[in-house]
Amino acid sequence: MSVSDFMTKTVITVDSQTPIFDAIDVMKQHDIHRLPVVDDGKLVGLITEGTIAEATPSKATSLSVYEMNYLLNKTTVADIMLKKVTTIEPDALLEDAISVMRSENVGVLPVMDDDALVGIITNNDIFDAFLKITGYHDGGTRVSIEITDDHVGVLADVTKLLADHQMSILTIVVNRMALKTVVEIQVESRQVAAIEKILSDAGYTVTSAVLTNQK
């Protein structure tokens, strides 16, 4: 899975000379929390609700309402935007985006193809990607089995076992740890007890089997 598979391709932007109040209106209108700043087709910064809040005078200020509004009306995006923006390429792995967000402590990455802004990916997009990859909203049964005797072909054995019982597999996630391997399988069927029995009868240790939510 790459960044391009889950990024938002229609990106709402502002230019650096946009008044702050106008930028706030754009965020409210589109229900978004960050805006890439683009001048002449080039990404020059990023503005967020956080940067706007930091630039807004606090309630403890000695300025009058008139003075505060005057200052804010004179303030443009260029005055408060983040000029050093961490970006990522569309062909990067989704895990690359997660790693960059974690290491840079950011919740959004503009997606750049050479010098062109082609998308944006946020922490919410990452959450949505996780739900899609795991098949959570496809419905069915999420079954976890613990394998202590991990060997080549073990997944083939498990998938064949379910296929022999006409159980369609939607997703498989494998978590290999020091002393055991945990395999989580999303099965299309909602026959939880039947799935658990099939696997248990074949000698697998089923640690959980639950229904997932279908949209």
Side-chain angles (χ1 to χ4, degrees):
M1 297 290 183
S2 66
V3 168
S4 62
D5 293 323
F6 296 100
M7 70 183 187
T8 299
K9 296 180 174 65
T10 302
V11 186
I12 308 300
T13 66
V14 291
D15 64 59
S16 62
Q17 296 308 305
T18 301
I20 288 301
F21 281 142
D22 289 348
I24 294 172
D25 286 342
V26 171
M27 287 183 178
K28 289 180 178 178
Q29 179 183 352
H30 295 279
D31 192 25
I32 54 180
H33 309 287
R34 303 103 167 174
L35 286 169
V37 184
V38 176
D39 284 343
D40 299 323
K42 182 180 179 181
L43 180 71
V44 296
L46 181 74
I47 188 169
T48 71
E49 288 181 340
T51 57
I52 292 173
E54 289 175 2
T56 304
S58 71
K59 293 182 180 179
T61 182
S62 60
L63 296 174
S64 67
V65 172
Y66 172 80
E67 290 171 319
M68 286 191 294
N69 285 335
Y70 175 79
L71 287 175
L72 288 175
N73 276 320
K74 298 286 286 183
T75 303
T76 66
V77 166
D79 296 321
I80 66 170
M81 70 182 185
L82 301 171
K83 296 181 175 67
K84 183 180 179 182
V85 183
T86 304
T87 64
I88 199 162
E89 297 178 353
D91 293 335
L93 295 175
L94 190 63
E95 299 94 308
D96 292 334
I98 296 171
S99 178
V100 171
M101 286 182 178
R102 293 281 291 169
S103 62
E104 298 293 328
N105 194 28
V106 296
V108 57
L109 294 172
V111 184
M112 304 295 295
D113 191 358
D114 292 329
D115 291 330
L117 177 67
V118 295
I120 191 168
I121 189 163
T122 69
N123 44 12
N124 284 338
D125 294 322
I126 299 294
F127 295 147
D128 290 341
F130 177 79
L131 292 175
K132 183 175 180 59
I133 291 170
T134 59
Y136 181 76
H137 286 311
D138 292 332
T141 302
R142 173 70 54 76
V143 58
S144 297
I145 60 176
E146 185 178 299
I147 299 173
T148 53
D149 180 24
D150 197 357
H151 58 275
V152 174
V154 65
L155 285 181
D157 294 339
V158 174
T159 55
K160 183 178 185 305
L161 175 64
L162 292 173
D164 288 344
H165 287 82
Q166 305 302 308
M167 298 288 184
S168 179
I169 295 174
L170 298 173
T171 63
I172 298 178
V173 177
V174 180
N175 184 13
R176 285 190 168 87
M177 292 173 274
L179 301 177
K180 63 182 179 181
T181 296
V182 176
V183 179
E184 291 198 350
I185 306 170
Q186 184 79 7
V187 184
E188 190 173 31
S189 171
R190 298 179 68 82
Q191 302 176 56
V192 178
I195 295 168
E196 189 169 4
K197 186 175 187 305
I198 290 168
L199 293 166
S200 297
D201 288 351
Y204 295 104
T205 301
V206 178
T207 56
S208 69
V210 296
L211 292 174
T212 55
N213 297 322
Q214 184 173 12
K215 273 193 172 181

